[in-house]
Amino acid sequence: MLFHQIKAYPTQTRTARAASCWGRDHLRICDRGLTCCTTDMEHKLSTHSRAEFDRLLRDTIGQVRTIFAAQAQRFDEYFKELLKTSKKDFHEMFLRTYGLLYDKNSFIFKDMFDDLEKYYLTGGVDLTAALDNFFDRLYRKMFQVLNSQYTFNEMYMNCISQKMEELKPFGDVPKKLTVEVKRSFVATRTFVQALAIGRDVVKFIQEVSELFFMFFFNNLHLDMQKRI
């Protein structure tokens, strides 16, 4: 008797399961054949899937964005510190070498470093023009210092500036320095901008992805509610 009861139980279970499971053509996620899945189950599955997907998306994209942001900030701080140190070392070296003569005219060099820093920060400086202006001012000042027994008017000094290219008082230094400075600063600023743009692109992708999947899942939920 007990044996027959045990054998009958699976049959009853299969019968009950068959009674509760049937084809559901209105389902969108589960198999539309013989299934125990309901629209309510699909709704819960969709909600859970969305939450899990959103979490994974935020975590993954957030990590990439953090890497870009950290690298951009680290390099930016490094280069600013490098520029600051160069300016300080240059000033101290020239002050030891030329003393008061340099100190009285140090604003010329300060302005040059300010132009370099401004270019790095904003890009709103023509490096070639800035360095040409630096060497022109330096040449005029040196000419006045070396000929301090004379007084020169502005017209004469303008004439001196116009002859600078012909006289080449600094040799090829201005040309070579301009090429090296432009190469260094343009590459550096481009690299920092690329890191910053990469960070912003990742942020944009994250926002667009969240909006897209929010729209997708919301439409899916609305459709399920209509079918309940």
Side-chain angles (χ1 to χ4, degrees), residues 99-117:
L100 185 61
L101 180 62
Y102 162 76
D103 195 38
K104 289 174 60 177
N105 301 286
S106 60
F107 63 91
I108 298 176
F109 299 90
K110 179 181 179 300
D111 290 346
M112 180 194 68
F113 277 100
D114 288 345
D115 284 338
L116 294 178
E117 185 176 2

Side-chain angles (χ1 to χ4, degrees), residues 150-162:
Y150 302 105
T151 301
F152 305 101
N153 58 29
E154 188 62 25
M155 183 179 296
Y156 189 90
M157 295 307 299
N158 288 336
C159 181
I160 291 295
S161 295
Q162 293 172 5

Side-chain angles (χ1 to χ4, degrees), residues 28-29 43 45-58 60-61 204-222 224:
R28 298 194 58 182
I29 299 177
H43 179 77
L45 176 62
S46 175
T47 301
H48 176 75
S49 298
R50 175 184 174 181
E52 186 66 14
F53 180 84
D54 286 347
R55 183 185 66 79
L56 292 173
L57 183 66
R58 283 194 302 269
T60 302
I61 296 182
F204 176 75
I205 291 174
Q206 182 178 14
E207 293 173 350
V208 171
S209 299
E210 289 177 352
L211 289 174
F212 171 77
F213 285 103
M214 183 183 298
F215 175 78
F216 172 78
F217 282 112
N218 284 342
N219 284 346
L220 184 61
H221 288 168
L222 289 174
M224 288 179 178

Side-chain angles (χ1 to χ4, degrees), residues 128-145:
T128 300
L131 290 170
D132 285 347
N133 181 59
F134 164 72
F135 281 108
D136 178 65
R137 294 174 67 193
L138 182 60
Y139 175 50
R140 288 164 67 111
K141 182 58 64 176
M142 288 178 62
F143 186 85
Q144 289 175 318
V145 170

Side-chain angles (χ1 to χ4, degrees), residues 4-5 26 36 56 67 98 137-139 166 178 183 186:
H4 289 293
Q5 290 178 349
H26 61 284
C36 298
L56 292 173
I67 292 173
Y98 300 104
R137 294 174 67 193
L138 182 60
Y139 175 50
E166 180 182 338
T178 299
R183 181 183 301 166
V186 170

Side-chain angles (χ1 to χ4, degrees), residues 35-82:
T35 178
C36 298
C37 185
T38 65
T39 304
D40 183 59
M41 291 180 183
E42 282 196 330
H43 179 77
K44 292 179 180 179
L45 176 62
S46 175
T47 301
H48 176 75
S49 298
R50 175 184 174 181
E52 186 66 14
F53 180 84
D54 286 347
R55 183 185 66 79
L56 292 173
L57 183 66
R58 283 194 302 269
D59 291 348
T60 302
I61 296 182
Q63 290 174 3
V64 176
R65 183 186 175 193
T66 299
I67 292 173
F68 273 105
Q71 292 295 332
Q73 182 179 358
R74 188 178 305 168
F75 187 85
D76 178 65
E77 292 174 351
Y78 168 77
F79 190 78
K80 286 179 179 178
E81 185 62 28
L82 187 64

